[in-house]
Amino acid sequence: MMKVAIMGYGTIGSGVAEILEKNAEQIEQAAGQKVELKYVLDLREFPGSPIEDKLIHDFKIIEEDPDVNIVVETMGGLNPSYPFAKASLLAGKHVVTSNKALVAAYGTELLAIARERQVNFFFEASAGGGIPIIRPLYRCLRGEVIQEITGILNGTTNYILTKMDKNGESFESALKEAQALGYAERNPEADVEGHDTCRKIAILTAMATGHEVNYEDIYTEGITKISDVDFKYADRMGASVKLFGSSRISGEQVHAWVAPVMIGRDHPLYMVSDVFNGILVKGNMLGTTMYYGSGAGRLPTASAVVADIIEASLHKHSNVPMGWNDERLSIADMSTSSHRFFVRIAGTPEREKALAQKVFGPSETVVLDGMDEFALLTERMTEKAFEEKAEAFESAGGHILQRIRAELS
């Protein structure tokens, strides 16, 4: 029998407890043994709840109980999740977490402790929520050289951008709606500024390369500057705007970044809308595969956590080779990354097009009726080259209203 302790009885923790109870028979069959919830650690009281008799308030009870085989961390943040997770591994217990902040900040250390103690540190739910992505990388795709991982990795921002795209809403209006529905926090900075996506692509890049990735090395740009006008142009062009977390791997050079990208209807991620997430993984032999589903939510995320509990149960006395080592991966400077660029320019094409095309080179022109502006879609160029051209354009009297990276054929 495997006995489990859950730390944090919030959205995800309560979901894990529910699945362990409702799917007990299926879990026992998959794990090859009974899996039983013994403790739930939380500062709060839950009178009348299904876990009332399992509720404790002192982590030491979990740490010192030899019957507890698996510790599930669903508290979020870094304190006390990090010291509790570390102490659990040092005590010879498997640790399962949904906490992307913990994995991004301390994953290297916790993986090393797990290997040393012959237990496991699993984090399937940290990068894709309910979407299986970590296990495919270390099991199904382990014979591949991963060349690219690109994903819509945050349901909040995808919901906001979908509302702006389909309903013509402003960013502020779509954000308020997301907050009212519980998709966005009262302080949405981690989502809308791209920090959540950044940590997730850092984890996926580390999994793909086998080396530690410092998320602070990843260029990160959120969606707060995207406007409803941008979507009017996108609609005219048969395109949309999505927030991508992307890692492009070519030999020793790795470009990893988070930014809004304009994509066409032929792009596999174009149809990923609302709170859903989608992840593309390109291998050198298999080519491109896509993983789609609920990237967040109580039961979808808890389902991924339970899958890790089963994986730990199947390897009760051994460490599963996965994760990455402590060699820091060098992320290439964003200035060397290359893209096409969608550029909105103040003034009419009659006044500004000649200067714009002289500076930016051959470009497609897009015009919206009744607007004292127009847009260009440039050829592919490096970020550095674009910034130099943008500076030259402004110095010559032009005015750029917006620029968005584009992946359009």
Side-chain angles (χ1 to χ4, degrees):
M1 177 185 289
M2 298 293 283
K3 295 198 174 183
V4 176
I6 297 174
M7 301 190 299
Y9 194 66
T11 301
I12 310 305
S14 63
V16 172
E18 180 179 337
I19 294 174
L20 288 176
E21 178 186 358
K22 289 187 175 179
N23 287 7
E25 185 177 338
Q26 173 65 24
I27 292 167
E28 180 178 351
Q29 185 178 23
Q33 57 196 304
K34 190 173 182 179
V35 178
E36 181 180 279
L37 178 60
K38 185 170 185 180
Y39 299 121
V40 173
L41 176 71
D42 204 291
L43 294 175
R44 299 164 295 177
E45 300 290 344
F46 297 94
S49 75
I51 53 87
E52 185 178 10
D53 61 333
K54 299 176 174 63
L55 188 64
I56 60 172
H57 305 296
D58 183 359
F59 168 70
K60 284 291 183 182
I61 295 174
I62 295 172
E63 183 183 14
E64 296 172 0
D65 187 339
D67 289 341
V68 174
N69 313 105
I70 303 172
V71 177
V72 175
E73 186 281 305
T74 55
M75 295 179 291
L78 297 178
N79 189 26
S81 61
Y82 164 60
F84 286 3
K86 182 177 180 179
S88 298
L89 291 169
L90 289 171
K93 305 177 190 299
H94 302 280
V95 172
V96 173
T97 185
S98 59
N99 187 345
K100 57 193 166 289
L102 174 66
V103 180
Y106 295 106
T108 303
E109 178 188 3
L110 298 176
L111 283 164
I113 295 171
R115 294 185 194 107
E116 179 187 336
R117 296 302 170 113
Q118 282 299 293
V119 291
N120 291 286
F121 177 59
F122 288 137
F123 43 89
E124 179 63 69
S126 68
I131 304 172
I133 186 61
I134 299 295
R135 194 162 291 110
L137 286 173
Y138 75 80
R139 286 211 184 280
C140 310
L141 301 176
R142 59 185 174 184
E144 292 286 318
V145 176
I146 303 300
Q147 298 174 323
E148 178 182 346
I149 300 176
T150 293
I152 296 169
L153 299 170
N154 182 275
T156 300
T157 53
N158 203 43
Y159 178 85
I160 292 169
L161 292 174
T162 298
K163 289 298 176 183
M164 294 175 70
D165 186 6
K166 306 302 182 186
N167 299 351
E169 296 183 27
S170 67
F171 169 80
E172 292 77 13
S173 172
L175 172 59
K176 287 181 181 178
E177 187 174 336
Q179 289 171 321
L181 292 170
Y183 297 148
E185 301 290 340
R186 180 172 296 179
N187 178 0
E189 181 180 351
D191 294 320
V192 300
E193 295 292 355
H195 304 313
D196 175 84
T197 297
C198 175
R199 285 168 171 78
K200 291 175 179 178
I201 198 63
I203 293 168
L204 294 175
T205 303
M207 287 295 302
T209 63
H211 301 299
E212 179 184 54
V213 174
N214 184 350
Y215 65 89
E216 294 179 342
D217 293 340
I218 296 175
Y219 173 87
T220 302
E221 181 181 319
I223 66 168
T224 55
K225 295 180 181 178
I226 302 299
S227 74
D228 54 335
V229 176
D230 297 323
F231 278 102
K232 290 178 182 178
Y233 280 102
D235 182 63
R236 176 68 61 87
M237 300 162 67
S240 187
V241 180
K242 305 288 187 180
L243 182 68
F244 277 5
S246 187
S247 181
R248 316 287 170 97
I249 305 163
S250 179
E252 296 298 313
Q253 188 176 60
V254 179
H255 286 100
W257 46 266
V258 175
V261 180
M262 187 173 286
I263 58 173
R265 293 186 178 122
D266 57 345
H267 195 290
L269 294 174
Y270 177 87
M271 295 302 295
V272 179
S273 59
D274 292 318
V275 294
F276 286 92
N277 288 184
I279 307 169
L280 298 180
V281 180
K282 182 180 179 181
N284 68 327
M285 296 296 155
L286 176 62
T288 301
T289 54
M290 180 171 171
Y291 306 81
Y292 169 83
S294 297
R298 178 173 176 268
L299 291 178
T301 304
S303 176
V305 172
V306 170
D308 276 346
I309 292 173
I310 293 170
E311 183 87 339
S313 300
L314 293 170
H315 299 88
K316 185 175 182 178
H317 301 296
S318 63
N319 175 261
V320 176
M322 59 88 70
W324 54 86
N325 59 33
D326 62 0
E327 181 182 341
R328 177 72 61 84
L329 184 70
S330 177
I331 303 296
D333 192 279
M334 188 63 176
S335 66
T336 64
S337 182
S338 63
H339 311 269
R340 299 184 77 184
F341 291 88
F342 164 82
V343 188
R344 283 172 48 206
I345 295 172
T348 63
E350 291 75 20
R351 297 204 313 265
E352 303 293 344
K353 182 177 178 181
L355 173 62
Q357 294 210 336
K358 179 181 178 181
V359 174
F360 290 106
S363 309
E364 299 177 32
T365 303
V366 186
V367 180
L368 295 181
D369 295 336
M371 303 284 285
D372 191 24
E373 64 171 76
F374 65 103
L376 295 181
L377 183 63
T378 74
E379 296 297 313
R380 179 174 290 273
M381 63 184 73
T382 65
E383 295 268 336
K384 182 179 181 181
F386 176 80
E387 292 302 329
E388 289 173 347
K389 291 176 185 293
E391 184 177 347
F393 182 71
E394 297 267 354
S395 297
H399 180 50
I400 295 174
L401 300 170
Q402 175 67 291
R403 71 95 178 89
I404 302 173
R405 295 164 187 85
E407 296 188 1
L408 295 166
S409 55

